[in-house]
Amino acid sequence: MSLDLPSQQHPDVGSILARHQTTDDANTLASIDRPPSEVEELPPAKIYHPLSIHVLALLMPASMFGVLARLGLQALTTYDGQSIFPLAYVQATGCFIMGVGLRMKVPFGFCGSLTTFSGWQVDIFDSWVNSGQFFRGGLRDFMDGFTQTWVTLVLSLASLKFGVYVCGAVQPYFSAPPPPSKNLRYTLTILAILTYAATLPVYFFLPGNFRHQATAALLFSFPGTLTRYLLSINLNPRLKTIPLGTFMANSLGTALLGFFHVLQGFPSPVSQNACSLLQGLGDGYCGCLTTISTFAAEIGALPRWKAVSYTIISWIAGQLLLLVIMGSSFWGGHVKEQMTCSFQTS
C-alpha cells in the first residue's frame, strides 16, 4: 500500500520507491538530479555544491557516454523486421540504471543523457502522420502512436522499479566506496574536461560520415545535459504540483527537436554539413536535454493522481508543440515529412 510522506521529511527517492511510498515534496523530487546536500545529513566529504566545478565537469563524460550508448543501442536494434521500436531498449536500459543509482543514492547524469523524452514524442507524432508512408489506414496510425505511448511508459516504470529491486537485493553484500580524496577529485575533474574538449577536434578531423552518426551529437551532448541540470536544480523545488524543471526541459527539447526535423525536410535541402549539425543537435542537445529516466522516477514517487496528471500534461504538451511546429509545416505544404537533406558519405 502506498503511503504519503509528510512534506517536512526529505527521504531519498530511491528509498521511497523501494518502500512503495509516495511523496509530493518538491525538494525530495529535486534530489533525483541534485548532488548530495546538507538536507540528506551526509558527512561533509560526500556533500557537493550543485554548481561546483567537480559536479559540472563529471556531467561532461556522463553526457558523452550516455549519447553514445543511446546511438549504439538504436543502431543495434534497428533492422528489417524488428518486433519492437528501437527506443524501447534505450528507455528500458536507462531507467533500469536510474533505479540502481537512486537506490545507491548516486545521481547518474548518464541516465538522463541515455534516455530521451523528445525522441519518444517525435516518434509518436511521426506515427500519427505516418511519416514512413506505410500502407495502412488512419486507425492503424493511431494504434501505432498509442502503442509507442503506453509501451514506453509501462516499460520505463517497470525497468526503474526493477533496478531499485535488484540494487536493494545485492547492496547488502557490497560496501560503499569511500569518498574520493581531494587529489582524486581534481584528477577526475581535469580528465572529464579534457575528454569533452576532445569532441571538437574529433568532429573536424574524423571523416565527414562520422558527423551525423556520432561526433556532432557528442559535441552538443554536454550543453544539453547542462541545460537540463540547471533547469532541474533551479525550478524543480519551486512547485509541489509537478517537477517544473523536468517539465520545462522536456517541453523545450521536444519543441527544438521538432524544429530541427522541419529544417531537415525543406524542399530545397540544406547542405550536407548543416544536415549533420542538425542531426547532432537533435541526437546530442535535444536527446540530452530531455529525459525519460528522471520523468519515470518522478512519476513513480508522486502520489497517484499527481503522477497521472503530470504524465498527461507532459505528453499533451509535447504533442501540441509538435502539432504546431511539425504539423503546420507538413500540412501547409512547406516541408516534407521525410528528410530531404543528405549526410556526407566520406
Side-chain angles (χ1 to χ4, degrees), residues 173-195:
Y173 302 99
F174 298 92
S175 58
S181 65
K182 183 177 179 180
N183 288 337
L184 180 57
R185 284 202 305 270
Y186 278 98
T187 300
L188 292 174
T189 299
I190 293 170
L191 288 174
I193 294 172
L194 291 176
T195 300

Side-chain angles (χ1 to χ4, degrees), residues 3 21 34 49 51-52 79 85 124 126 149-150 153 161 175-176 196 232 251 254 275 304 316-317 321 326 336:
L3 301 173
Q21 297 174 331
R34 186 186 61 208
H49 188 277
L51 297 179
S52 73
Y79 49 85
F85 50 96
I124 293 170
D126 281 341
T149 297
W150 75 261
L153 286 172
K161 295 289 184 72
S175 58
Y196 178 66
S232 175
S251 298
T254 300
C275 195
R304 181 176 300 173
I316 290 177
L321 286 167
M326 295 176 66
K336 295 184 180 297

